[in-house]
């Protein structure tokens, strides 16, 4: 795991966008794993700008999002389908038939989860996985647990995650309690992973994920074992990482 310290949200977004753009230029038919949440908004904004400026071509790219709420249709404004449509898909030349998210309306969640894993495998796996991190260390909707879920699965959102996501819904009661989430198998098999973390809310999670033991109680900690994981942290999110870690060799100041 490489931990790259950058100054602020803007620098984090730019660094992430350079990594994604480099991936697409190097392999135009890349398979990208994508995340939702506030954190990657700056990254998506830059990718859209670079596309509009003729600097990027998404026509051969395939995308797989990490997760979707169970019970929200793609047209629901808070669905992750709608989020991706708004912030990326509608603004670049991604081919709609190659943009995948789990179907939150599937009658049989288990069957949908199996189909989603099969689609990722049929695409050859993920080349570059973009991740955010929850305040409790979750990635996708892989919540703290006593084991790592390997495959795509039905995820039960923790109280902390429900509270954190309530800002997007009219009332706390409206926040879905369940989601379909990609598991650690697809994430750990990705050729490269980039996790973005910004702001003081994420400091505790970053500290535990980067400096702590590898445990399903802190799902992002599994990335310590990934052969090509980069954690891009801004100064606020890195606040609890001890100074000596910044000179540990595998950690870079951006
Ligand atoms: C949700 C998503 C995660 C995301 C997390 C953090 O739970 N399922 O993929 O990383 O929120 O979101 P934010 O970036 O808004 O803090």
């Amino acid at each position: 795991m490489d931990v790259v310290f950058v100054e602020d949200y803007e620098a984090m977004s730019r660094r992430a966008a350079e990594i994604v753009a480099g991936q697409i230029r190097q392999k135009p038919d890349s398979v990208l794993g994508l995340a939702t949440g506030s954190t990657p908004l700056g990254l998506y904004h830059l990718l859209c700008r670079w596309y509009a400026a003729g600097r990027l071509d998404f026509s051969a790219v395939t995308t797989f999002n990490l997760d979707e709420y169970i019970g929200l249709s793609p047209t629901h404004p808070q669905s992750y389908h709608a989020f991706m449509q708004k912030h990326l898909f509608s603004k670049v030349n991604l081919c709609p038939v190659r943009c995948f998210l789990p179907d939150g309306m599937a009658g049989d969640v288990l069957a949908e989860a199996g189909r989603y894993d099969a689609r990722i495998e049929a695409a050859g796996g993920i080349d570059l996985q973009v991740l955010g991190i929850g305040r409790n260390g979750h990635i996708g909707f892989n919540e703290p647990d006593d084991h790592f879920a390997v495959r795509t699965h039905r995820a039960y959102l923790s109280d902390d995650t429900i509270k954190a996501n309530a800002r997007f819904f009219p009332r706390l009661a409206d926040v879905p309690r369940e989601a379909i989430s990609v598991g650690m198998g697809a994430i750990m098999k990705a050729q490269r992973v980039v996790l973005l973390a910004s702001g003081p809310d994420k400091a505790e999670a970053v500290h535990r994920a980067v400096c702590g033991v590898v445990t399903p109680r802190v799902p992002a900690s599994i990335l310590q074992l990934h052969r090509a994981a980069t954690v891009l942290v801004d100064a606020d999110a890195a606040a609890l990482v001890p100074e000596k870690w910044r000179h540990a060799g595998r950690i870079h100041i951006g």
Side-chain angles (χ1 to χ4, degrees), residues 35-40 66-67 80 131-134 138-141 161 165 167-168 202:
T36 51
S38 308
T39 310
L66 286 164
D67 42 20
Y80 286 165
L131 294 172
I133 184 168
H138 76 248
I139 48 179
F141 272 128
T161 301
N165 291 359
R167 67 191 195 277
F168 299 114
K202 302 295 171 66

Side-chain angles (χ1 to χ4, degrees), residues 53-243:
R55 293 172 57 193
L56 269 180
D57 176 14
F58 292 83
S59 60
V61 170
T62 297
T63 68
F64 286 95
N65 264 81
L66 286 164
D67 42 20
E68 178 57 287
Y69 291 117
I70 289 179
L72 297 197
S73 77
T75 54
H76 188 290
Q78 298 315 331
S79 71
Y80 286 165
H81 279 78
F83 176 100
M84 292 309 299
Q85 201 57 38
K86 179 172 173 190
H87 296 292
L88 185 68
F89 297 166
S90 64
K91 295 181 177 165
V92 299
N93 64 337
L94 275 162
C95 181
V97 298
R98 279 196 292 277
C99 295
F100 299 100
L101 288 94
D103 177 4
M105 298 301 282
D108 185 340
V109 170
L110 204 63
E112 170 60 8
R115 273 196 299 273
Y116 204 64
D117 279 332
R119 268 196 214 111
I120 294 175
E121 272 155 39
I126 308 287
D127 289 309
L128 173 61
Q129 176 67 57
V130 175
L131 294 172
I133 184 168
R135 294 187 307 202
N136 60 6
H138 76 248
I139 48 179
F141 272 128
N142 292 273
E143 293 279 27
D145 207 335
D146 55 12
H147 67 285
F148 290 112
V150 175
R151 304 196 63 84
T152 298
H153 57 284
R154 179 191 288 265
Y156 299 92
L157 276 54
S158 69
D159 290 345
D160 188 63
T161 301
I162 292 167
K163 266 187 230 136
N165 291 359
R167 67 191 195 277
F168 299 114
F169 292 84
R171 293 171 311 152
L172 185 66
D174 297 324
V175 185
R177 269 42 185 174
E178 295 173 14
I180 302 180
S181 177
V182 161
M184 296 305 192
I187 294 172
M188 290 301 282
K189 273 193 254 164
Q191 298 299 319
R192 185 166 185 197
V193 174
V194 178
L195 183 145
L196 314 182
S198 167
D201 273 11
K202 302 295 171 66
E204 176 74 30
V206 166
H207 176 244
R208 296 179 72 198
V210 169
C211 310
V213 294
V214 175
T215 166
R217 296 283 169 211
V218 185
S221 65
I222 199 172
L223 298 174
Q224 292 179 32
L225 306 178
H226 193 282
R227 65 204 150 104
T230 301
V231 178
L232 285 176
V233 273
D234 73 3
D236 287 337
L240 297 177
V241 178
E243 193 57 35

